[in-house]
Amino acid sequence: MRLLSGLTAVVFVLAGIAFGALNSTLVKIGFYWFEAELSLGVALLLAALVGAMLGGLALWSGVIWPLRRRLARQQRIQARAQAPGEHGADA
């Protein structure tokens, strides 16, 4: 499984390098405070990377984090319920 993951990563890195090399036209990227001139391939790969990172952040904050909090809360409740001598059992 690890070998398959490594080979997949190598294939995507090589495809990215080929994509960047085939799209070598320079483009100017301008922001309010900053301007850069990059090759088209690099600009597109950076845009895809930033989009994937923002999508991952949105997924984590909207789904994963709330589910982890809910799981932790359920585990605390279950641990309290299983603890001996709790909830007035000795009285």
Side-chain angles (χ1 to χ4, degrees):
M1 187 67 176
R2 185 177 280 178
L3 178 65
L4 183 62
S5 297
L7 287 174
T8 303
V10 168
V11 166
F12 277 101
V13 166
L14 291 175
I17 290 170
F19 181 77
L22 292 173
N23 293 292
S24 60
T25 305
L26 291 178
V27 293
K28 192 180 290 189
I29 310 272
F31 296 103
Y32 289 111
W33 64 91
F34 156 75
E35 191 171 292
E37 196 166 300
L38 301 169
S39 72
L40 179 61
V42 171
L44 289 173
L45 289 174
L46 283 176
L49 179 64
V50 169
M53 289 172 58
L54 289 175
L57 179 63
L59 178 69
W60 180 81
S61 65
V63 176
I64 297 170
W65 185 50
L67 285 176
R68 283 188 178 188
R69 288 180 53 213
R70 189 169 162 198
L71 177 63
R73 185 173 46 240
Q74 291 297 327
Q75 288 173 340
R76 281 193 308 270
I77 291 170
Q78 184 178 12
R80 278 190 224 132
Q82 292 178 352
E86 292 274 329
H87 304 292
D90 293 333

